[in-house]
Amino acid sequence: MVAGPAAAEAVAIAKRIPTLHVGLHLTLVEALPCLPATRIPDLVDATGVLRRDMARFGAEIFFKPSVRRQMRAEIEAQFLAFAATGLRLDHVNAHKHFHLHPTISELVFDVGKAFGMTALRVPLEPFDIINAIEPAAASPFRVVMEPWARLLAARARKRGILVPDQVFGLAFTGAMTAERLAALLRRLPEGLSEIYCHPATAGDFRFAVPGARYEDEFTALIAPQARAALSASGALLTGFSG
């Protein structure tokens, strides 16, 4: 989140860990933009924050050329900001998976090509694995998201962009506990899997989601049962770029 208030600190930490694979999390909704509000008036609300009304916003992006131009400019600004960090771009994803929108993904493909984008998150989560851990835990939005995710995967692969074989984090978003993480690690299928979460040491920051268990997600990443499950799985820890 290159426009976030802690971006500089995050970059400094990443540079101290050369083995860390760092991606660009495009924030196109419910966050601070890179560009000033005067440059992207149709993308922000009265407070200068990127809009939250995703359905109406998405329709305007599709139907209005002026909104698309502003969206392209903001996407490009965020790629430029990442490039300025000097970090290697491992992959790209988007806040709230807004890149599932076909117009936005086309802009990401076009802009990303100029910045060396080689990998992209596609949120396709195996229902059978989630159901085996916690029946009925799968996201209620799965039925709506999955066709668009499969379309995005096909479009990305056609362009030679790497996408994971499966992604975990949708069903347990905001609540990836140590028990759930360990259960996922014990059931990892073959191929490239992405497991994402939102770890933090506190949940009182701006744009925090009410009810999200940020501290529990942080604890999950260092929990003994998760580390043991990872070791037993034989999985190789890596980024998209290997």
Side-chain angles (χ1 to χ4, degrees), residues 45-67:
D45 62 20
T47 68
V49 173
L50 289 160
R51 291 168 54 174
R52 296 173 170 83
D53 56 332
M54 291 178 65
R56 182 174 178 179
F57 192 16
E60 290 182 13
I61 292 166
F62 182 81
F63 287 108
K64 295 184 177 181
S66 61
V67 180

Side-chain angles (χ1 to χ4, degrees), residues 21 88-91 118-119 162 192 238-242:
H21 295 75
R88 183 169 179 263
L89 179 62
D90 181 71
H91 61 277
T118 59
L162 178 66
L192 178 63
T238 183
F240 283 83
S241 56

Side-chain angles (χ1 to χ4, degrees), residues 38-95:
T38 53
R39 289 275 309 277
I40 50 171
D42 294 313
L43 307 190
V44 296
D45 62 20
T47 68
V49 173
L50 289 160
R51 291 168 54 174
R52 296 173 170 83
D53 56 332
M54 291 178 65
R56 182 174 178 179
F57 192 16
E60 290 182 13
I61 292 166
F62 182 81
F63 287 108
K64 295 184 177 181
S66 61
V67 180
R68 287 198 297 276
R69 286 193 293 270
Q70 293 173 45
M71 179 59 74
R72 180 189 177 91
E74 177 60 28
I75 290 171
E76 187 171 41
Q78 293 190 27
F79 269 99
L80 279 167
F82 186 95
T85 68
L87 295 169
R88 183 169 179 263
L89 179 62
D90 181 71
H91 61 277
V92 175
N93 54 49
H95 193 47

Side-chain angles (χ1 to χ4, degrees), residues 197-221:
C197 58
H198 309 83
T201 56
D204 56 353
F205 52 89
R206 190 179 184 186
F207 302 119
V209 177
R213 299 164 62 181
Y214 297 107
E215 294 170 85
D216 287 345
E217 295 203 340
F218 176 82
T219 300
L221 295 177

Side-chain angles (χ1 to χ4, degrees), residues 90-94 97 99-100 109 117-126 149-154 156-157 160-170 188-196 238-242:
D90 181 71
H91 61 277
V92 175
N93 54 49
H97 309 298
H99 62 309
L100 287 176
F109 288 141
M117 180 181 77
T118 59
L120 182 75
R121 173 191 292 166
V122 175
L124 279 170
E125 187 169 55
R150 293 195 180 282
L151 176 62
L152 177 60
R157 290 181 175 124
I161 296 171
L162 178 66
V163 301
D165 295 298
Q166 51 271 327
V167 170
F168 298 99
L170 280 76
L188 280 181
E190 292 295 319
L192 178 63
S193 297
E194 178 188 3
I195 302 177
Y196 72 85
T238 183
F240 283 83
S241 56

Side-chain angles (χ1 to χ4, degrees), residues 79 89 107-118 159 161:
F79 269 99
L89 179 62
L107 294 173
V108 173
F109 288 141
D110 191 32
V111 174
K113 182 178 180 181
F115 289 89
M117 180 181 77
T118 59
R159 290 166 171 79
I161 296 171

